[in-house]
Amino acid sequence: MKRIGVFVCWCGSNIAGTVDVEKVAEHFRTYPGVVHAESYQYLCSEPGQKIILNRIKEHGLKGVVIAACSPTMHESTFRNTVQQIGFNPFQLEIANIREQVSWVTEDKDSATSKAITSISQIVEKLKGNEALDPIQVPVTKKALVIGGGIAGIEAALNIAKAGYKVYLVEKEATIGGHMAQLSETFPTLDCSQCILTPKMVEVARHPNVELYTLSKVTKIEGFIGNFKVTVHKEPDYVKRADCTACGDCAEVCPVEVPSEFNQTLKYRKAIYIPSPQAVPTIYHIDPETCLGINPIKCNKCAEACERKAIDFDQQPEDILIEVGAIVVATGYDLYDKELMAEYGYGRYQDVIDGLQFERILSASGPTEGKVLRPSDGTVPKRVVFVQCCGSRDPEHHKAYCSKICCMYTAKHALLYKHKVHDGKATVFYMDIRANGKRYEEFVQNAIEHEHISYLRGRVSKIYQENDHLVVMGADTLSGKRVEIEADLVVLAMAMVPGKGTMELAKLLKVGYDENGFLNEAHPKLRPVESLTGGVFIAGAVQAPKDIPETVAQASGAASKVLEMFGQDYLWKEPTIVDVDGSLCSMCGNCVLVCPYGARSLNKEKHIVEVNAVLCESCGACAAACPTGAAQQRNLTDKQIVDMIEVALEIK
Amino acid sequence: MPENTKKELNIKPEEILEIIKDISGQDVYVCYQCGKCTAGCPMSENMDIMPNQIIRLLQIGAFDELLKHNTIWLCASCLTCTSRCPKGVDLARIMEAVRLLLLRQNVAYLNASDIPEEDREELPIQALVGAMRKYSP
Ligand SMILES: Cc1cc2nc3c(=O)[nH]c(=O)nc-3n(C[C@H](O)[C@H](O)[C@H](O)COP(=O)(O)OP(=O)(O)OC[C@H]3O[C@@H](n4cnc5c(N)ncnc54)[C@H](O)[C@@H]3O)c2cc1C
Ligand code: SF4
Ligand code: SF4
């Protein structure tokens, strides 16, 4: 029989406070197959790990059970440790007696007996374990970055500068994302365009970067280190090399539609450039609004273009690329104001959202930086800013805090006061969340020096009265209800994941939370990885965040990609589910249930083929297999039965 | 309008929130004091403390303080607060629960005989019935 050692961790008082660890160790000293058992204060510490190594040598252990915290915490720590002395890491198993035992009860006796049962189960499992070798996977050292906002730009630049090829895929006609729409940025008030444009140009010009605009990822096959991705590119209908962005075409275009870049506050033509700083700096035709991409119907732009750059015959393309790693940086959108019935959006032109106000403040915006309200183009002398719109409202909208609107609202009120000196700015807030470097100082400075009136309370209703709006709010600090007349109201709408994030997540097999933000692999220790190998996340697509945090996360994601690219091979857990050909009836159940597409029926050879690299060891197929042909390595049906039997004390 | 004379309550302070929860189904600790109820309350002009402050006083166990104010009696049960509360607190029910808790002490805050003869004749019958239901046990 295998010579097994059992090590029971106290985890300080985390485990030892509830579980009688010495009694547990004592129990296993006489357990069949166990030749050594002991308890120790912190097994994950340096001396703790040394004890394990020494005992392996002293007792000639062939199997090790660590009874401690969850395996997601330290399984790899202990496996790496024992590997140093040539011990097969798959002969080490964790019994979770913290999260599943000590933390979930206060009853010492029942905790101790449950710990014994849990460890017995793992000992029984371990008896059936085989020594396994990790699976080797080659790496394609090229990366795909989806989304060309500041997150995508930063990640792409980091990877490209390290010497690797990057494909940057952006769905709009220009990169830059929302940052390109901002006027000035908190807390330093530097001009957003001025700090962003050089990066946009740099990434587009970098020899290692291939930029696809008006493009979307439509298909992803393969696995970590070896993805095959289809990028669908819509045509510009303008020859890039020939367009000088002179704008003669737009002059003559008869179509006018609201400009997306200007948040509908201005019109654009059907042939247009989103903003003067757009990258690539070319005009393109929006086929939805162009009078038909049909030169017979309207050919005005083509006639006006001296360089003959217009090309109505361009077709959409599907481009196949191969990459080893993917960074998802598809950002955010604002929650729809039309869903805020009591704030009257849709009915009142002068109730706008934060991004619209950014465009109004922006020198390149619809009013060239003058604060003019949309309805009649006059200067609003009374502006009310409403925070937490759609955020922190679990009953009707989003339960979470959007994190950055406290800051940009303070910025908005401040910039407004800089531009309209005799204007009155009022902010309705619930709490001021200004927890970044120099953020609190920024808000306090705005309040103190610009005399912005901060009222602590939510707004119940906004309605139009003659040429102004009335905001019904409360100031809970003085215990008063207030009604404030306003010429313009700015709603700090919640940040939500960008449209299409969920579809993309499904394509990538990446998890998302109840709000649609992408899930990180571990909320603390793996914040830029997804649970799907080789797919990383950056920016506001993971959660609401500001630019500094977005850039930091993008660099983090890029460094994870580079960590991968620094290796020629990747190693993967070998606990995959094999097939015993002699038992397999070719029913195909396992192929159907596999969420990773790792299994396929080979009718000619009459076998089920398993792609060891794709298999994520979830075990769905093993459970679905009616004949027992599909068996997971180191978690076979026999091992599971042994574990159940020992738990039920029928063994 | 009923006088808000403080009546001796024979309920233990620690039981008050339990009873309010029993009657209204509402947990006052859900409220995070945003004031949206107050912001939209059509009666707030005449209230001497605001609707959100009623919850606040309950949260901090200052029930006696709450009774000094006319707020619960002025609440018109229009449900504006309830429909807009971001936390799903049914404040109108809490107001009703506090009133019931007091009325169940068998104290009438309105006696039919106190309503002047001419008013009694003028008032619609629904208003009279409604008032008696709201202000008397
Ligand atoms: C009103 C307002 C004011 C702000 N002011 C400040 C400020 O002063 N300072 C500050 O630090 N932060 C500010 N922010 C926050 C800032 O906008 C974000 O932190 C930042 O833009 C996040 O960058 P991102 O790249 O993650 O997302 P985004 O900027 O949203 O970029 C995402 C990009 O991905 C593209 N994309 C989306 N889906 C797909 C797809 N399926 N395929 C391909 N491409 C796709 C989008 O078109 C976009 O280009 C403000 C935000 C708002 C709303
Ligand atoms: S950041 Fe501020 S304004 Fe935005 S949801 Fe959070 S608390 Fe409200
Ligand atoms: S609206 Fe709801 S959460 Fe806000 S103060 Fe009133 S009861 Fe409390």
Side-chain angles (χ1 to χ4, degrees):
Chain A
M1 197 183 277
K2 202 176 258 177
R3 296 175 63 81
I4 292 174
V6 173
F7 300 85
V8 186
C9 186
W10 300 18
C11 193
S13 61
N14 271 303
I15 294 172
T18 326
V19 172
D20 185 341
V21 283
E22 201 25 56
K23 189 170 166 194
V24 173
E26 183 56 37
H27 176 90
F28 284 96
R29 289 193 183 112
T30 53
Y31 193 94
V34 176
V35 295
H36 174 77
E38 72 179 284
S39 74
Y40 186 73
Q41 238 169 346
Y42 288 106
L43 282 172
C44 59
S45 68
E46 186 76 32
Q49 299 193 36
K50 256 203 190 110
I51 289 176
I52 300 168
L53 296 181
N54 289 339
R55 299 296 182 264
I56 291 175
K57 290 183 213 154
E58 284 162 30
H59 298 281
L61 301 181
K62 293 284 176 262
V64 167
V65 173
I66 309 281
C69 53
S70 159
T72 54
M73 196 71 207
H74 277 317
E75 184 181 74
S76 56
T77 314
F78 291 115
R79 286 189 168 170
N80 289 340
T81 305
V82 296
Q83 204 169 8
Q84 293 165 15
I85 56 161
F87 186 92
N88 188 285
F90 298 95
Q91 296 288 16
L92 179 145
E93 292 282 355
I94 306 278
N96 181 353
I97 60 165
R98 192 179 75 175
E99 285 82 345
Q100 291 179 358
V101 179
S102 68
W103 277 0
V104 290
T105 180
E106 281 163 13
D107 181 336
K108 240 182 141 152
D109 289 337
S110 60
T112 305
S113 86
K114 185 176 173 192
I116 290 175
T117 309
S118 300
I119 300 168
S120 308
Q121 288 184 284
I122 298 299
V123 171
E124 291 308 320
K125 171 187 190 299
L126 185 59
K127 287 178 182 171
N129 270 19
E130 288 169 43
L132 301 174
D133 288 323
I135 295 166
Q136 211 184 33
V137 191
V139 188
T140 307
K141 294 183 184 180
K142 294 181 201 166
L144 163 67
V145 176
I146 311 175
I150 182 60
I153 292 174
E154 185 67 25
L157 271 176
N158 287 189
I159 301 167
K161 285 181 180 175
Y164 299 100
K165 169 115 196 158
V166 183
Y167 301 97
L168 177 57
V169 174
E170 166 59 53
K171 74 169 163 49
E172 301 296 332
T174 174
I175 53 172
H178 287 104
M179 189 178 165
Q181 293 178 291
L182 306 181
S183 53
E184 290 166 26
T185 51
F186 62 75
T188 43
L189 294 186
D190 31 11
C191 143
S192 190
Q193 283 284 0
C194 313
I195 55 176
L196 178 66
T197 313
K199 276 190 180 274
M200 291 164 62
V201 173
E202 188 184 0
V203 78
R205 290 217 181 124
H206 199 286
N208 281 340
V209 176
E210 199 153 322
L211 174 61
Y212 296 115
T213 47
L214 294 175
S215 297
K216 275 190 166 173
V217 168
T218 50
K219 194 170 167 194
I220 298 173
E221 289 173 318
F223 43 85
I224 179 169
N226 301 272
F227 294 104
K228 288 188 176 52
V229 181
T230 308
V231 176
H232 180 81
K233 183 176 180 349
E234 293 295 340
D236 304 310
Y237 298 107
V238 172
K239 286 182 241 157
R240 286 201 177 186
D242 295 332
C243 175
T244 57
C246 67
D248 289 349
C249 49
E251 292 267 304
V252 297
C253 176
V255 179
E256 284 206 328
V257 283
S259 151
E260 296 83 355
F261 188 81
N262 283 307
Q263 300 290 126
T264 72
L265 294 175
K266 196 181 173 180
Y267 288 93
R268 63 156 171 89
K269 298 297 182 71
I271 184 162
Y272 72 110
I273 184 163
S275 87
Q277 286 88 353
V279 170
T281 317
I282 55 153
Y283 277 68
H284 75 284
I285 295 180
D286 164 19
E288 299 284 315
T289 49
C290 169
L291 292 176
I293 298 294
N294 179 351
I296 299 166
K297 237 177 169 175
C298 170
N299 196 29
K300 289 202 165 69
C301 56
E303 283 161 13
C305 181
E306 277 179 18
R307 295 178 56 94
K308 304 275 166 263
I310 314 283
D311 179 2
F312 290 110
D313 295 329
Q314 284 184 0
Q315 295 297 323
E317 279 178 87
D318 277 328
I319 304 151
L320 187 73
I321 56 177
E322 291 188 9
V323 296
I326 300 174
V327 178
V328 192
T330 49
Y332 70 97
D333 278 323
L334 288 187
Y335 189 62
D336 202 340
K337 315 171 220 70
E338 291 180 28
L339 299 168
M340 310 291 294
E342 69 268 40
Y343 296 168
Y345 188 77
R347 279 173 293 164
Y348 313 134
Q349 269 187 298
D350 294 325
V351 178
I352 61 175
D353 68 26
L355 280 175
Q356 289 180 309
F357 199 57
E358 291 285 342
R359 293 315 298 147
I360 289 178
L361 291 171
S362 169
S364 65
T367 55
E368 284 155 3
K370 287 193 263 318
V371 181
L372 305 175
R373 63 179 195 168
S375 64
D376 55 9
T378 56
V379 178
K381 294 290 176 171
R382 302 161 297 181
V383 181
V384 171
F385 298 89
V386 186
Q387 293 193 179
C388 298
C389 290
S391 297
R392 306 177 67 190
D393 184 339
E395 187 65 12
H396 309 101
H397 306 288
K398 302 291 173 190
Y400 55 85
C401 164
S402 291
K403 194 169 178 180
I404 61 155
C405 6
C406 284
M407 285 305 297
Y408 77 60
T409 297
K411 174 185 82 174
H412 284 171
L414 183 85
L415 292 176
Y416 166 68
K417 288 289 292 179
H418 283 182
K419 298 198 178 209
V420 184
H421 300 298
D422 59 343
K424 169 113 186 92
T426 307
V427 175
F428 281 100
Y429 74 104
M430 277 214 284
D431 305 283
I432 298 175
R433 298 187 168 168
N435 46 4
K437 193 170 172 177
R438 289 194 237 296
Y439 284 13
E440 173 67 9
E441 296 93 315
F442 178 85
V443 176
Q444 292 311 326
N445 174 60
I447 297 175
E448 287 166 29
H449 290 102
E450 302 299 340
H451 299 275
I452 297 162
S453 163
Y454 266 72
L455 301 182
R456 194 208 165 275
R458 263 195 191 267
V459 168
S460 177
K461 195 178 171 68
I462 299 168
Y463 61 92
Q464 183 95 39
E465 200 171 74
N466 308 322
D467 64 345
H468 62 269
L469 298 148
V470 180
V471 181
M472 287 167 58
D475 177 47
T476 59
L477 297 181
S478 61
K480 289 200 166 36
R481 196 178 91 85
V482 288
E483 274 188 21
I484 296 189
E485 293 186 353
D487 304 310
L488 181 70
V489 176
V490 182
L491 304 179
M493 298 305 306
M495 273 170 114
V496 295
K499 277 179 210 80
T501 302
M502 239 182 264
E503 289 71 23
L504 187 64
K506 284 180 188 150
L507 218 55
L508 288 158
K509 302 198 174 66
V510 166
Y512 46 86
D513 65 20
E514 69 276 26
N515 300 305
F517 290 108
L518 298 189
N519 277 342
E520 59 281 14
H522 188 282
K524 291 159 216 166
L525 300 178
R526 297 172 66 194
V528 300
E529 294 161 75
S530 77
L531 272 177
T532 301
V535 180
F536 305 92
I537 49 185
V541 72
Q542 182 253 347
K545 53 174 70 77
D546 57 23
I547 297 164
E549 218 187 320
T550 297
V551 172
Q553 204 186 14
S555 298
S559 91
K560 283 282 158 195
V561 171
L562 297 178
E563 174 185 320
M564 249 180 84
F565 289 180
Q567 308 162 49
D568 291 326
Y569 293 98
L570 300 173
W571 303 96
K572 198 178 162 291
E573 287 255 326
T575 48
I576 60 164
V577 181
D578 292 316
V579 191
D580 178 345
S582 66
L583 289 178
C584 174
S585 65
M586 292 290 284
C587 70
N589 278 0
C590 61
V591 179
L592 282 180
V593 299
C594 176
Y596 302 98
R599 305 175 82 83
S600 53
L601 279 183
N602 186 331
K603 293 222 168 91
E604 274 164 34
K605 293 194 196 150
H606 200 79
I607 48 166
V608 167
E609 283 172 348
V610 183
N611 184 327
V613 181
L614 280 186
C615 172
E616 287 287 335
S617 310
C618 73
C621 51
C625 176
T627 65
Q631 294 288 333
Q632 182 155 7
R633 293 187 192 164
N634 284 357
L635 197 64
T636 59
D637 288 356
K638 167 149 193 332
Q639 283 175 295
I640 294 172
V641 170
D642 288 347
M643 290 166 78
I644 294 172
E645 283 183 353
V646 74
L648 299 177
E649 296 174 0
I650 51 178
K651 193 173 167 101
Chain B
M1 206 46 54
E3 276 299 302
N4 288 294
T5 42
K6 194 186 146 221
K7 303 282 185 300
E8 271 304 310
L9 281 182
N10 46 21
I11 308 170
K12 292 195 202 93
E14 58 272 23
E15 284 172 2
I16 287 172
L17 290 187
E18 278 302 307
I19 299 171
I20 288 178
K21 194 169 186 176
D22 275 351
I23 303 175
S24 67
Q26 303 300 303
D27 178 353
V28 297
Y29 292 111
V30 173
C31 166
Y32 60 3
Q33 288 295 310
C34 69
K36 193 166 182 175
C37 45
T38 296
C41 179
M43 298 301 289
S44 60
E45 209 159 306
N46 300 310
M47 291 174 170
D48 46 25
I49 63 169
M50 293 299 113
N52 69 292
Q53 292 176 305
I54 293 294
I55 303 205
R56 188 68 194 142
L57 292 175
L58 290 171
Q59 287 173 334
I60 64 170
F63 195 70
D64 290 351
E65 170 71 22
L66 180 160
L67 297 184
K68 292 182 196 151
H69 302 285
N70 65 5
T71 306
I72 55 165
W73 302 110
L74 287 190
C75 163
S77 302
C78 70
L79 305 189
T80 307
C81 54
T82 300
S83 67
R84 295 192 187 145
C85 173
K87 294 296 297 288
V89 176
D90 193 336
L91 177 49
R93 273 180 188 270
I94 294 178
M95 296 277 197
E96 175 73 0
V98 178
R99 288 192 297 266
L100 280 176
L101 192 142
L102 298 174
L103 295 172
R104 283 179 191 177
Q105 306 293 307
N106 244 342
V107 187
Y109 290 79
L110 177 68
N111 291 309
S113 55
D114 295 341
I115 304 172
E117 183 77 42
E118 57 277 30
D119 286 354
R120 245 183 292 164
E121 278 175 11
E122 294 262 313
L123 280 170
I125 193 76
Q126 288 98 323
L128 275 174
V129 172
M132 293 315 291
R133 200 175 271 166
K134 180 167 169 185
Y135 298 119
S136 63

